[in-house]
C-alpha cells in the first residue's frame, strides 16, 4: 500500500477564507483559517492532499516521450545522485513485464523500463531509473547498493507508491529487477525482490 503523505496543519487567525497546501520534502503543509472546526479541518486536509497529489501526478516525467529522453534523464540522474559513475549502454521502454517494473543486465549495461510506468509521476520514474542505474555499480541488493539508491531523496516514498500501484492493479509485483525479456543472453544479476531487500537494508 502506498505510504500516506505526512501532513502538517498550520492555522492562522489572519487567514479568513482561503485554504492552501504545499509540499516541503515528504511533508504536505496545509494552511487553514484559525476559525475552522475540527471536522472542517479534516475535510479540507483530505481534499488538499488529494489535489496536491493529483497535481504532482500530472507532472509526468519528460522521459516518457521516448528512449532517447529516457537515456538523457538517466544520465542526468547518474550525475546528480551516483557521481556520474553509472553509464548505461542502453535505456529503453519495453512492453509490460510479467512481474517487474524494470530490469537491468549489469553484464552488458542495458536497462529496461516497463511501459506501465509511462504515466507514473516523474519522481517515481526517477527512482526506478536510479535503482536500475545503481545496479551498474553494485549488481546485487546489498548494503552498498542501497546506499547508492538512497542518495535519491524520495526513495522510500517512491517504493510506497509502486507497492500501492501494484496492489491497486492486482499485479502482485515483487520489485523492480529480474524479469528478463525472452531470449536475453545475460540473465540479470539483480534479481532479488525489491520489497524484501529494502526491508533488510
Amino acid at each position: 500500500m502506498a505510504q500516506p503523505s505526512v501532513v502538517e496543519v498550520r492555522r492562522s487567525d489572519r487567514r479568513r477564507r482561503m485554504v492552501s497546501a504545499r509540499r516541503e520534502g515528504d511533508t504536505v503543509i496545509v494552511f487553514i483559517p484559525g476559525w475552522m472546526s475540527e471536522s472542517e479541518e479534516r475535510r479540507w486536509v483530505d481534499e488538499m492532499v488529494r489535489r496536491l497529489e493529483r497535481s504532482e501526478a500530472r507532472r509526468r516525467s519528460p522521459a516518457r516521450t521516448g528512449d532517447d529522453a529516457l537515456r538523457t534523464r538517466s544520465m542526468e540522474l547518474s550525475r546528480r545522485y551516483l557521481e556520474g559513475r553509472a553509464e548505461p549502454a542502453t535505456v529503453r521502454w519495453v512492453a509490460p513485464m510479467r512481474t517487474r517494473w524494470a530490469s537491468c543486465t549489469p553484464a552488458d549495461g542495458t536497462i529496461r523500463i516497463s511501459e506501465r510506468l509511462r504515466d507514473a509521476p516523474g519522481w517515481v520514474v526517477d527512482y526506478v531509473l536510479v535503482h536500475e542505474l545503481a545496479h551498474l555499480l553494485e549488481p546485487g541488493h546489498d548494503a552498498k547498493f542501497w546506499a547508492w539508491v538512497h542518495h535519491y531523496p524520495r526513495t522510500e516514498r517512491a517504493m510506497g507508491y509502486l507497492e500501492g500501484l501494484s496492489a491497486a492493479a492486482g499485479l502482485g509485483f515483487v520489485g523492480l529487477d529480474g524479469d528478463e525479456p525472452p531470449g536475453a543472453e545475460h540473465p540479470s544479476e539483480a534479481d532479488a525482490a525489491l520489497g524484501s531487500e529494502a526491508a533488510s537494508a
Side-chain angles (χ1 to χ4, degrees), residues 3-66:
Q3 295 176 344
S5 298
V6 176
V7 178
E8 177 183 334
V9 177
R10 295 184 185 174
R11 288 176 171 266
S12 172
D13 291 333
R14 289 178 296 183
R15 184 178 291 265
R16 295 303 177 196
R17 294 183 180 277
M18 190 175 68
V19 178
S20 64
R22 71 168 184 254
R23 184 180 296 282
E24 293 183 3
D26 286 335
T27 300
V28 173
I29 301 176
V30 181
F31 300 88
I32 64 172
W35 54 261
M36 193 171 281
S37 69
E38 289 186 11
S39 61
E40 288 175 313
E41 174 184 318
R42 286 193 297 271
R43 180 172 66 84
W44 275 107
V45 166
D46 290 344
E47 176 63 21
M48 297 308 290
V49 169
R50 279 196 298 270
R51 288 185 188 182
L52 186 62
E53 291 183 343
R54 281 199 303 268
S55 175
E56 291 173 341
R58 285 194 294 269
R59 295 196 292 273
R60 307 301 187 194
S61 170
R64 77 184 192 280
T65 58

Side-chain angles (χ1 to χ4, degrees), residues 29-173:
I29 301 176
V30 181
F31 300 88
I32 64 172
W35 54 261
M36 193 171 281
S37 69
E38 289 186 11
S39 61
E40 288 175 313
E41 174 184 318
R42 286 193 297 271
R43 180 172 66 84
W44 275 107
V45 166
D46 290 344
E47 176 63 21
M48 297 308 290
V49 169
R50 279 196 298 270
R51 288 185 188 182
L52 186 62
E53 291 183 343
R54 281 199 303 268
S55 175
E56 291 173 341
R58 285 194 294 269
R59 295 196 292 273
R60 307 301 187 194
S61 170
R64 77 184 192 280
T65 58
D67 292 349
D68 288 343
L70 194 64
R71 189 175 192 284
T72 297
R73 184 59 177 165
S74 296
M75 297 309 297
E76 291 172 358
L77 293 167
S78 176
R79 287 191 294 272
R80 187 179 301 176
Y81 300 113
L82 304 175
E83 300 176 1
R85 293 174 55 186
E87 297 185 12
T90 62
V91 186
R92 60 192 175 91
W93 293 104
V94 297
M97 303 178 191
R98 293 186 304 276
T99 60
R100 304 285 172 164
W101 296 112
S103 64
C104 173
T105 304
D108 60 14
T110 59
I111 292 173
R112 295 160 297 279
I113 308 295
S114 172
E115 292 274 1
R116 293 183 192 274
L117 292 176
R118 272 193 188 265
D119 290 328
W123 54 271
V124 174
V125 176
D126 283 353
Y127 161 70
V128 172
L129 288 170
V130 170
H131 183 107
E132 300 307 328
L133 288 165
H135 279 307
L136 300 178
L137 307 179
E138 297 291 338
H141 285 89
D142 58 12
K144 290 181 180 178
F145 167 80
W146 285 109
W148 282 115
V149 173
H150 281 281
H151 287 178
Y152 180 63
R154 302 188 79 172
T155 287
E156 296 298 332
R157 181 168 169 77
M159 288 167 59
Y161 182 98
L162 291 172
E163 289 173 11
L165 189 60
S166 175
L171 297 174
F173 283 9

